[in-house]
Amino acid sequence: MSAPIRIAVTGAGGQIGYALIFRIASGGLFGPDQPVSLRLLEITPALPSLNGTLMELDDCAFPLLKDVVATDQTTTAFDGADWVILVGGLPRKEGMSRADLIRANGPIFTGQGKAINEAAGPDVRVLTVANPCNTNALIARSHAPKVPAERWFAMTRLDQNRAAAQLAIKAGVGVGEVTQLTIWGNHSDTQYPDYKNALIGGKPATSVINDPTWLSDTFVPTVAKRGSAVIKARGASSAASAANAALDSVRSASFPTKSGDWFSAGVVSDGSYGIPAGLIYSFPLTSTDGKSWSIVQNLPIDDDARARLDASAKELQDERDAVKDLLGPAA
C-alpha cells in the first residue's frame, strides 16, 4: 500500500470541514487503496468540539486513515502537508458586503501563507475554499515564496457543479452529460459560467437548449447568485455542496483529466485570454498526469463573453488593490 498522503484542513470544526473530513478519511478523495493522514486546524475555542469529531473518526474505524491530529497551531497543521485545504474563515452572512468579508478574512491568510511556506511538504498544493477565495489565495500565496505559482488553486468548482446541474435540469438529462463547462473569473457575482463552449451529450449546449434568453438572462445570474440564494434559504452558507466541490477540485488536480473534458479552478494567470498576469482567475484546465495542469487555449470568446471576462478581471484587480497592505513578497 502507498505511503499516506498528508492533508491539512483548516476550519475543520465548521460545517464544511465536518462534511469534508469523513469523506477524505473513508477514501472518497484519493480512492480505496490510498492511505491518508489528516491534520485538522481550528481556533483554540473550537478545539473541544473538534475533539468530539476526532472521537467520531475513531468510531468510524476507517482503514485508510493512518493518523489524525487536531491543533490550533498552523505550523503543526501544515507540517509536511501534501495538500492544504483552506476552509477556515469568516463565512459570509446575509447582508454582508464583499468588501467587509475581504477585510475580515484577509489577515487570516497572511499567517497561513507564512506557515505553509515554513512547514508544508516540498510538493505541497493548496486549495482555497474560504471566501473570497480568489483573493484569499492571492494573499496566502504572496507570503509563501517557496511554493511555486502553479500549486495554488481557488475553488470555483462549486460554481461549475451548480452550472452543470442547471443545464442538465433544463435539458432533461443526467448531469454527467454536461461537459466542457467553464467558470471564468472570480468566485463572485461577476463570474461567467460559459454555456457557449459547453456540451450536452456531446452537442453544443446552445443547440440542445435552444433558448438564448433563458441562457443569458436566467442561467447566468442563477449560477452567479446561487450562493446568496442558499444563504437566504438555509440561513447559512453552502456546506455539503462546498465540501463536495473541494473534493472534486483536489481530485481533478490529482488525476489525469478525462479526454474531451476539462475542469475549472482559480489559478495564477499567465496572461491567457488577455487576463492580467498574476491574478488568481478561474480558467478551463486539464491535467495529463495529475501533477501539472494547462489552461485550455483557443476557445472562442465573443464580444459578450469578452466583456464578462474583463469585468471579473477588473473586480479581482480591485480586490487586490483593497488588500495591498496585506500582500507579501511573492505578490
Side-chain angles (χ1 to χ4, degrees):
M1 188 170 280
S2 304
I5 294 175
R6 181 170 290 191
I7 306 157
V9 179
T10 73
Q15 291 192 62
I16 297 174
Y18 189 81
L20 182 64
I21 59 180
F22 289 90
R23 291 182 63 184
I24 296 173
S26 70
L29 178 53
F30 291 112
D33 299 316
Q34 177 59 61
V36 294
S37 296
L38 284 174
R39 298 295 181 268
L40 308 179
L41 181 68
E42 257 301 353
I43 58 175
T44 306
L47 285 179
S49 175
L50 185 56
N51 284 332
T53 301
L54 264 61
M55 294 169 66
E56 288 196 82
L57 284 168
D58 287 342
D59 293 347
C60 287
F62 292 122
L64 293 173
L65 182 58
K66 292 307 176 186
D67 61 270
V68 56
V69 173
T71 180
D72 58 0
Q73 300 298 309
T74 52
T75 52
T76 300
F78 299 157
D79 184 36
D82 300 300
W83 270 99
V84 175
I85 306 177
L86 298 175
V87 177
L90 180 70
R92 186 178 64 167
K93 298 179 174 64
E94 188 171 3
M96 188 178 193
S97 75
R98 188 171 182 86
D100 289 342
L101 186 65
I102 290 170
R103 293 305 307 183
N105 273 332
I108 297 171
F109 294 88
T110 296
Q112 291 183 348
K114 292 177 179 177
I116 289 169
N117 195 63
E118 177 183 344
D123 299 317
V124 66
R125 292 192 277 180
V126 185
L127 172 69
T128 306
V129 175
N131 285 321
C133 61
N134 297 59
T135 297
N136 288 341
L138 180 75
I139 293 168
R141 177 184 170 257
S142 76
H143 291 280
K146 291 181 183 177
V147 182
E150 64 270 15
R151 297 196 196 150
W152 294 87
F153 304 87
M155 191 177 83
T156 57
R157 186 54 174 269
L158 179 54
D159 306 300
Q160 180 184 332
N161 290 347
R162 288 166 168 167
Q166 293 298 315
L167 291 178
I169 292 167
K170 181 67 173 179
V173 300
V175 73
E177 294 295 305
V178 180
T179 57
Q180 297 188 3
L181 178 59
T182 305
I183 301 297
W184 298 93
N186 199 3
H187 175 63
S188 74
D189 291 354
T190 69
Q191 66 176 260
Y192 175 46
D194 185 0
Y195 60 87
K196 295 175 184 177
N197 287 303
L199 303 178
I200 300 177
K203 301 176 181 179
T206 52
S207 67
V208 177
I209 301 174
N210 187 19
D211 189 343
T213 300
W214 180 86
L215 287 165
S216 178
D217 298 345
T218 299
F219 167 73
V220 170
T222 294
V223 175
K225 297 178 183 297
R226 186 70 164 183
S228 296
V230 170
I231 291 171
K232 185 174 181 179
R234 71 186 296 263
S237 298
S238 301
S241 58
N244 181 70
L247 294 174
D248 286 343
S249 299
V250 173
R251 195 180 297 114
S252 291
S254 300
F255 296 95
T257 307
K258 182 180 177 181
S259 178
D261 204 2
W262 54 70
F263 64 98
S264 300
V267 295
V268 179
S269 173
D270 62 357
S272 292
Y273 294 96
I275 303 305
L279 290 181
I280 294 188
Y281 190 98
S282 184
F283 291 97
L285 308 174
T286 60
S287 178
T288 58
D289 57 5
K291 297 178 181 178
S292 60
W293 51 263
S294 300
I295 296 173
V296 178
Q297 299 292 335
N298 301 316
L299 294 178
I301 303 295
D302 63 17
D303 290 344
D304 173 69
R306 180 75 261 166
R308 294 177 186 272
L309 266 64
D310 290 345
S312 208
K314 175 63 165 57
E315 182 182 54
L316 284 167
Q317 288 175 304
D318 290 345
E319 290 185 10
R320 180 185 60 192
D321 291 344
V323 297
K324 189 178 298 183
D325 59 309
L326 300 176
L327 297 179

